[in-house]
Amino acid sequence: MEITGAELIKAAALLGAGLCMGIGAIGPAVGEGYAAGRALEGIARQPELAGLLTRTMLLGQAVSETTGIYSLVIALLLIFAV
Amino acid sequence: MFDKALKAFEIPTIDGVREVNQVSFKLGDFNITLNLTTLIMTWITMAILILLAYLGTRRLERFPSRGQSFVELIIDAFDRLIADTMGPVGRRYFSLITTLFFFILISNWLSIIPILKNPTADLNTTLGLGIMVFIIAQGSGVISKGVGGYLKGFFEPLFIAPFAFFINIAGEVGKTLSHSFRLFGNIFGGGLIMLIIFAIPELLQTAWCRLFGEFIGRSLYWGFLWPFCKILATVILNAFFCIFVGSLQAFVFTILAMAYITIARD
């Protein structure tokens, strides 16, 4: 069975999508974990600010998640558009 | 046309992810293509919003009823949030920001009902919203700083003015792109993860039928996979990806819209 060029491109795109999602998830994971840890420290020090800290933490996490979302979009492009 | 409109209400499956339910027509020289599913779902979202607004604000009284006080609570919370984030000028943008939030919120929650889909799971919707926020931010920048001050803002810091111009332009474009891609990616990715997880029980059933024989495979599916994986997973995944992530992303989108408008103003 011969492997044609189109199949090779498809395989490379799927491999690239997997790599893109896997490597791209490292950054947001570390960043969000760091933000959550720091917010926890803040809440432990000042429990009365828990609501504000949680809200700000979620906002910052959602923003730092953007890089992960970029890799998701690239992975989707590689799967569906190639 | 009518059967295409009906097709928008089909329950999504993992095989149908690639298909786009679109209609195209010619308008003069332009070939216009519309995503019919998104269009219908956006109209449903708007209908729900108008209905809720009507139900919440009819029979306004000085001593509010239960429904009216709930609406007043929400509006008051938003008023305070906008005053905290944007300062005294924020009142002017109150209706824009609140409408944006509730439109995105209802859009993100829409896919709890199985036959409906999120309008925000389509890049056209989110990019439209992002560009709308971009134009409003730039417009209010022109209004508050004047044309000269607005244009001068693009060349700052002034000692590397020609270089800074391109960086500022790229920054504005990137802000809008990340603003809309964040919402799109979260909602579409969540929907995709749900579709993939919902497809697992059927795959396992076929695999187990082949491994252990038809009877054991089927009884394992109906006795174990169907109640635990399908029903429970539907509830839990919808609670997380629709309600939690949906509310969070709607909130983030509005907060960032406020921040962008505030930054553009001063």
Side-chain angles (χ1 to χ4, degrees):
Chain A
M1 199 178 86
E2 286 284 301
I3 297 174
T4 61
E7 284 170 349
L8 205 62
I9 289 172
K10 189 76 206 170
L14 290 176
L15 190 66
L19 282 175
C20 172
M21 208 52 245
I23 298 171
I26 295 173
V30 173
E32 286 182 30
Y34 189 74
R38 277 313 177 89
L40 207 56
E41 276 176 25
I43 293 173
R45 208 169 292 147
Q46 283 173 302
E48 68 274 10
L49 284 180
L52 177 72
L53 283 171
T54 311
R55 202 171 65 203
T56 320
M57 180 196 79
L58 282 176
L59 190 69
Q61 284 186 334
V63 173
S64 70
E65 204 182 324
T66 312
T67 49
I69 296 299
Y70 285 156
S71 61
L72 174 72
V73 171
I74 299 295
L76 290 175
L77 276 180
L78 283 172
I79 293 172
F80 293 118
V82 173
Chain B
M1 190 72 185
F2 185 69
D3 54 306
K4 275 198 169 173
L6 272 184
K7 217 177 150 204
F9 292 99
E10 277 176 3
I11 292 173
T13 54
I14 191 72
D15 304 313
V17 169
R18 276 161 197 276
E19 288 162 15
V20 181
N21 185 13
Q22 59 187 19
V23 285
S24 32
F25 55 90
K26 264 194 165 359
L27 195 79
D29 285 342
F30 297 103
N31 212 350
I32 292 175
T33 307
L34 294 173
N35 189 336
L36 202 59
T37 309
T38 308
L39 204 65
I40 292 172
M41 294 308 149
T42 313
W43 277 104
I44 291 175
T45 310
M46 289 191 282
I48 292 173
L49 277 176
I50 292 170
L51 190 72
L52 286 180
Y54 172 71
L55 289 179
T57 55
R58 77 182 164 166
R59 290 204 308 265
L60 289 179
E61 281 163 27
R62 195 167 172 81
F63 297 101
S65 61
R66 214 184 294 171
Q68 190 191 339
S69 49
F70 181 64
V71 174
E72 279 180 5
L73 205 69
I74 294 171
I75 296 299
D76 206 43
F78 266 92
D79 196 35
R80 233 174 300 133
L81 182 72
I82 290 169
D84 284 349
T85 323
M86 296 177 83
V89 56
R91 258 308 157 74
R92 206 178 293 169
Y93 299 96
F94 174 80
S95 45
L96 168 81
I97 299 294
T98 315
T99 311
L100 209 55
F101 176 78
F102 282 109
F103 177 73
I104 296 170
L105 188 74
I106 298 291
S107 312
N108 291 349
W109 284 1
L110 210 59
S111 68
I112 295 172
I113 302 166
I115 57 168
L116 302 180
K117 286 120 193 145
N118 304 116
T120 35
D122 183 4
L123 188 55
N124 298 310
T125 312
T126 59
L127 206 57
L129 292 173
I131 290 172
M132 184 186 81
V133 170
F134 171 78
I135 291 172
I136 289 169
Q138 301 305 315
S140 42
V142 171
I143 290 170
S144 80
K145 290 191 290 193
V147 179
Y150 168 75
L151 287 178
K152 188 170 157 272
F154 276 103
F155 292 99
E156 276 166 352
L158 279 171
F159 63 94
I160 44 164
F163 195 57
F165 177 71
F166 291 107
I167 290 181
N168 282 325
I169 292 283
E172 291 298 323
V173 173
K175 236 162 48 178
T176 307
L177 279 185
S178 78
H179 199 198
S180 32
F181 271 121
R182 183 179 305 118
L183 183 58
F184 162 73
N186 271 291
I187 304 305
F188 185 70
L192 206 61
I193 290 169
M194 279 201 277
L195 279 184
I196 291 169
I197 292 178
F198 294 154
I200 288 175
E202 267 73 32
L203 291 178
L204 276 182
Q205 187 199 14
T206 11
W208 286 353
C209 280
R210 215 171 289 157
L211 268 179
F212 310 122
E214 191 84 358
F215 177 72
I216 299 177
R218 270 181 191 282
S219 48
L220 272 176
Y221 173 77
W222 288 107
F224 171 70
L225 281 177
W226 198 78
F228 288 109
C229 292
K230 247 183 152 165
I231 303 296
L232 212 63
T234 311
V235 174
I236 292 173
L237 290 175
N238 266 312
F240 182 74
F241 283 113
C242 284
I243 298 179
F244 177 67
V245 173
S247 328
L248 189 63
Q249 290 306 320
F251 187 64
V252 167
F253 195 95
T254 28
I255 290 273
L256 284 176
M258 281 191 252
Y260 290 162
I261 293 173
T262 316
I263 289 170
R265 281 187 68 91
D266 40 47

